[in-house]
């Protein structure tokens, strides 16, 4: 499938492939048609995490270039997990980038504006996965990250992204390393139309991590454990929906991961509050909460595709992929969308 | 909406002096968590230090609201520091070059800069915050206006037109967000003894100007009882009543 190489003008005109996992039916639609497919009794849950400008260019003590991509906040307000990249930039495919200089515990990376980070731990998964402690905290650290950082982007994107290209229209706390992109096409005209039709819209916050690093050992370990926060009102809306047998539609794999992760930790119930999930959804998973999923277009090789197998049979997903390829659907974060939902 | 004794996460722009500073001190005293924005870091840091010394919670975000790239840095940093934003007060504004001058003597670029700070900046930051407010079904946007938005005072052209447009923006936001739980209002705080007023009217009789600390108290009261104020309303300091 070809990638969308740049954000498109009108999200409502973007394509939406509707897959009915029960009947096996495929339908070509547009994002603008989405509200019409939902109604009274449906609960739609979005991820309200904003996207951090998580790519920070710096230099090692020996003046070697290092790109640090923040992969998620850690305990303590000055600490982050991060993935290191070497020379070059996002116009080169991550797998073709030269490796970063070998950095160990205690090594320092310097950025613009006086920002510095010290490596406090190197992961056993890959020497490129590290924990960092910055030389600032609170407002100083957050505003420095916004000053120094750029949004993470990949080689198929045709120009340099600005932060506004990587936000959903309801973003709040900046927990995500990359845009929770399933919600990107959700214009407020679509969401307010859903609400008028009686759809309940709820939210949670989930720290979407990096989707690719170019390091085979590290990519095999993705997604890393991710932090989430489920508000009380959302937990209540889920309980009410389940009690009346309503459909619960997750906007994005991050929302599916947070909800199923919470249920896995709490005996099948979604409990309000913060947590960290290492749950990986795949063909073997039996979703307990999520009955429908709005997501992007995923290649059969990607980890996201295996997650879809938790929601639809693999042969149907392969047929849907072949159909999307033939019909010219576009892939990746600025691409078209898939709705997996039984009528 | 919130009861007066609840605490909210509040973002205030132009918080390093004048009305913005006074409002920050007042809202901190009432127990709210604050993210404060101003262009100049030193005076802003001083306000934050002083609020903290008095037991309040405030964080400094040095940014220019007229800068296109600043809006998402402001909204993101604020939510990272004090959680999802419940109330935003768009207080930062610029007069343009002073002494104030006739439209015929106003550079087009100066008009553009005034609109960028006083109108487009508040629009960008509201756009970055209001979607999350709608999801949470609560939120308040306060646009600080002026009587120059209503009366056509000679030499106040750039500023007056920016505030008139900001007032109308409040009304359109309010109409579009009706029923969502998110309210948008304008407040005309009246003439106050501030540096901005000094720059606009250097020979004003200071005895006739209001103390920004007292005005801040009235605005904090409006925020506390925002549920009673119709969304889209314009509140004037002359009476602290909703203007008809």
């Amino acid at each position: 499938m070809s990638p969308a190489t740049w954000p498109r003008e009108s999200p409502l005109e973007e394509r939406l492939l509707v897959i009915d996992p029960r009947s096996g039916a495929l339908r070509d639609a547009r994002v603008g048609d989405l509200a019409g497919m939902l109604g009274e009794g449906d609960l739609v849950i979005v991820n309200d995490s904003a996207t951090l400008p998580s790519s920070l260019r710096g230099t090692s003590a020996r003046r070697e270039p290092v790109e640090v991509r923040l992969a998620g906040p850690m305990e303590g307000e000055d600490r982050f997990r991060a993935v290191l990249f070497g020379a070059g930039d996002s116009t080169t495919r991550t797998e073709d980038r030269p490796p970063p200089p070998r950095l160990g515990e205690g090594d320092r990376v310097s950025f613009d504006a006086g920002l510095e980070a010290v490596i406090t731990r190197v992961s056993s998964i890959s020497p490129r996965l590290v924990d960092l402690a910055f030389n600032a905290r609170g407002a100083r650290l957050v505003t420095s990250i916004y000053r120094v950082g750029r949004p993470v982007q990949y080689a198929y994107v045709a120009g340099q992204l600005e932060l506004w290209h990587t936000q959903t229209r309801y973003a709040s706390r900046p927990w995500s390393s990359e845009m929770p992109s399933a919600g990107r096409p959700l214009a407020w005209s679509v969401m307010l139309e859903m609400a008028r039709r009686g759809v309940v819209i709820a939210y949670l916050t989930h720290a979407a991590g990096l989707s690719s690093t170019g390091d085979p050992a590290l990519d095999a370990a993705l997604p890393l454990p991710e932090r989430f926060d489920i508000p009380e009102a959302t937990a209540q809306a889920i309980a009410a929906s389940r009690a009346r047998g309503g459909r619960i539609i997750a906007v994005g794999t991050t929302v599916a991961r947070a909800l199923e992760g919470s249920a896995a930790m709490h005996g099948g119930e979604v409990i309000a509050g913060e947590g960290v999930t290492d749950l990986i959804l795949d063909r073997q998973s039996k979703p307990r909460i999520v009955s429908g999923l709005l997501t992007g277009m995923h290649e059969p090789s990607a980890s996201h595709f295996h997650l879809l197998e938790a929601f639809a049979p693999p042969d149907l997903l392969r047929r849907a992929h072949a159909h999307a390829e033939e019909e010219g659907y576009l892939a990746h974060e600025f691409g078209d969308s898939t709705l997996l939902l039984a009528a | 909406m919130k009861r007066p004794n609840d605490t909210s996460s509040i973002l205030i722009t132009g918080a390093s002096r004048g009305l913005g500073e006074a409002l920050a001190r007042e809202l901190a005293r009432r127990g709210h968590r604050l993210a404060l924005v101003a262009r100049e870091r030193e005076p802003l840091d001083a306000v934050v230090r002083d609020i903290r010394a008095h037991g309040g919670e405030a964080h400094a975000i040095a940014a220019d609201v007229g800068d296109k790239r600043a809006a998402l840095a402001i909204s993101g940093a604020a939510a990272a520091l004090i959680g999802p934003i419940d109330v935003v007060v768009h207080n930062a504004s610029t007069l343009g070059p002073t002494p104030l001058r006739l439209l015929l003597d106003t550079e087009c670029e100066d008009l553009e800069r005034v609109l960028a700070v006083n109108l487009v900046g508040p629009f960008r930051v509201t756009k970055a915050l209001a979607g999350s407010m709608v999801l949470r079904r609560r939120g308040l946007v306060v646009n600080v206006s002026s009587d120059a938005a209503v009366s056509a005072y000679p030499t106040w052209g750039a500023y007056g037109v920016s505030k008139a447009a900001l007032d109308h923006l409040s009304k359109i936001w309010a109409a579009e967000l009706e029923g969502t739980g998110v309210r948008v209002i304008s407040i005309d705080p009246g003439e106050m003894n501030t540096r901005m007023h000094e720059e606009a009217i250097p020979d004003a009789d200071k005895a006739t100007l209001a103390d920004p600390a007292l005005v801040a108290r009235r605005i904090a009261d409006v925020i506390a009882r925002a549920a009673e104020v119709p969304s889209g309303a314009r509140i004037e300091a002359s009476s602290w009543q909703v203007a008809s």
Side-chain angles (χ1 to χ4, degrees):
Chain A
M1 211 178 303
S2 307
T5 57
W6 194 250
R8 286 170 284 170
E9 199 103 307
S10 168
L12 303 191
E13 295 303 315
E14 292 178 20
R15 304 185 73 176
L16 176 66
L17 177 59
V18 184
I19 306 174
D20 186 328
R22 199 172 299 146
S23 71
L26 301 178
R27 180 150 84 87
D28 297 302
R30 303 271 166 185
V31 169
D33 305 327
L34 183 60
M37 300 173 197
L38 305 172
E40 198 80 45
D42 289 329
L43 171 61
V44 169
I45 305 180
V46 300
N47 177 2
D48 81 338
S49 164
T51 311
L52 261 183
S54 350
S55 159
L56 277 56
R57 308 194 138 270
T59 51
S60 71
R62 291 185 296 278
R63 303 222 148 263
E64 301 142 308
V66 185
E67 181 190 346
V68 170
R69 292 189 181 178
L70 303 176
M74 310 277 295
E75 285 302 311
E77 56 173 341
D78 59 343
R79 303 199 173 232
F80 277 85
R81 175 155 293 162
V83 176
L84 307 178
F85 290 75
D89 59 31
S90 61
T91 57
T92 307
R93 298 187 335 144
T94 48
E95 46 276 51
D96 300 335
R97 291 265 297 262
R102 190 92 185 195
L103 298 178
E105 238 172 79
D107 281 339
R108 197 171 296 271
V109 182
S110 306
F111 308 95
D112 279 348
L115 187 66
E116 282 186 359
V118 172
I119 291 166
T120 58
R121 199 176 76 91
V122 178
S123 165
S124 57
I125 299 172
S126 159
R128 291 176 52 193
L129 178 62
V130 299
D131 293 351
L132 298 174
F134 282 98
N135 65 340
R137 53 181 61 218
R140 257 322 150 149
L141 176 58
V142 182
T143 55
S144 296
I145 290 173
Y146 274 97
R147 191 161 319 130
V148 173
R150 308 277 323 181
V152 168
Q153 63 178 85
Y154 292 95
Y156 51 78
V157 173
Q160 192 162 57
L161 292 175
E162 296 288 349
L163 199 49
W164 52 78
H165 293 127
T166 65
Q167 307 297 329
T168 60
R169 289 168 163 81
Y170 41 72
S172 182
R173 291 176 290 180
W175 283 15
S176 288
S177 306
E178 292 181 15
M179 170 168 53
S181 55
R184 180 197 49 78
L186 289 182
W188 272 105
S189 64
V190 172
M191 287 196 286
L192 293 176
E193 175 62 19
M194 283 183 200
R196 268 192 295 275
R197 297 175 59 90
V199 176
V200 176
I201 300 174
Y203 70 97
L204 54 79
T205 311
H206 183 100
L210 299 170
S211 54
S212 172
T213 68
D215 175 332
L218 194 42
D219 283 345
L222 298 178
L224 300 171
E226 289 165 344
R227 176 180 169 205
F228 63 87
D229 185 14
I230 300 174
E232 184 59 49
T234 300
Q236 283 171 12
I238 290 167
S241 164
R242 296 180 81 195
R244 60 169 193 264
R247 302 188 295 186
I248 298 179
I249 297 114
V251 175
T253 55
T254 59
V255 172
R257 199 179 188 211
L259 294 176
E260 297 300 334
S262 175
M265 281 182 262
H266 301 108
E269 297 296 314
V270 173
I271 302 295
E274 283 203 35
V276 173
T277 181
D278 57 4
L279 180 73
I280 296 199
L281 291 164
D282 60 17
R283 194 182 298 195
Q284 270 75 46
S285 310
K286 290 268 169 291
R288 295 191 255 199
I289 307 299
V290 176
S291 42
L293 179 66
L294 178 68
T295 183
M297 309 300 303
H298 303 297
E299 299 285 349
S301 57
S303 70
H304 278 77
F305 193 85
H306 300 298
L307 185 147
L308 301 191
E309 292 178 349
F311 298 94
D315 50 336
L316 172 58
L317 292 171
R318 271 191 299 276
R319 186 154 61 83
H321 179 261
H323 172 83
E325 192 124 54
E326 196 172 301
E327 292 295 316
Y329 278 72
L330 300 177
H332 292 310
E333 68 270 41
F334 301 113
D336 294 309
S337 299
T338 302
L339 176 66
L340 279 162
L341 184 66
Chain B
M1 208 49 216
K2 316 211 70 188
R3 285 164 296 282
N5 56 350
D6 282 345
T7 60
S8 297
S9 295
I10 303 182
L11 175 70
I12 306 171
T13 67
S16 62
R17 54 182 157 250
L19 177 61
E21 176 193 356
L23 189 59
R25 291 177 189 280
E26 179 64 29
L27 291 169
R29 230 185 334 266
R30 298 185 186 205
H32 300 292
R33 297 178 302 282
L34 305 180
L36 304 181
V37 180
R39 260 184 312 164
E40 294 172 54
R41 173 170 290 287
E42 279 71 34
L44 185 65
D45 280 343
V47 172
V48 163
R49 268 197 306 276
D50 200 46
I51 286 174
R52 289 182 173 180
H54 288 83
E57 180 179 349
H59 305 269
I61 301 172
D64 178 351
V65 296
D67 169 9
K68 181 177 185 172
R69 285 202 169 81
L72 289 169
I74 291 170
S75 62
L81 293 163
I82 59 172
I85 303 303
D86 302 308
V87 180
V88 53
V89 182
H90 294 295
N91 167 76
S93 67
T94 178
L95 292 163
T98 52
L100 295 176
R101 57 207 62 187
L102 299 172
L103 285 173
L104 279 170
D105 294 328
T106 296
E107 300 296 339
C108 301
E109 291 74 14
D110 290 333
L111 175 68
E112 284 177 352
R113 166 72 185 160
V114 170
L115 292 174
V117 174
N118 298 4
L119 177 68
V120 184
F123 171 71
R124 283 202 183 96
V125 174
T126 302
K127 185 170 179 277
L129 296 172
S132 149
M133 290 176 173
V134 173
L135 275 189
R136 287 177 290 121
R137 294 186 186 81
R138 75 167 209 214
L140 175 66
V141 178
V142 178
N143 287 317
V144 175
S145 185
S146 161
D147 72 331
V150 180
S151 300
Y153 299 124
T155 74
W156 287 73
Y159 182 81
V161 83
S162 74
K163 291 297 188 182
L166 184 64
D167 275 1
H168 203 64
L169 191 62
S170 297
K171 289 198 260 184
I172 295 173
W173 274 123
E176 291 188 354
L177 296 176
E178 200 189 331
T180 64
V182 181
R183 291 161 177 279
V184 185
I185 60 172
S186 284
I187 297 180
D188 167 10
E191 291 190 74
M192 292 168 291
N193 188 6
T194 61
R195 193 177 89 172
M196 189 186 218
H197 196 280
E198 170 74 28
E199 284 164 0
I201 313 175
D203 53 357
D205 175 5
K206 299 283 188 294
T208 65
L209 301 178
D211 176 355
L214 297 177
V215 176
R217 213 171 291 165
R218 304 303 291 265
I219 294 177
D221 289 344
V222 171
I223 290 172
R225 56 177 177 80
E228 299 157 33
V229 179
S231 187
R234 186 174 195 280
I235 294 171
E236 296 181 349
S238 51
S239 63
W240 292 101
Q241 301 296 315
V242 174
S244 53

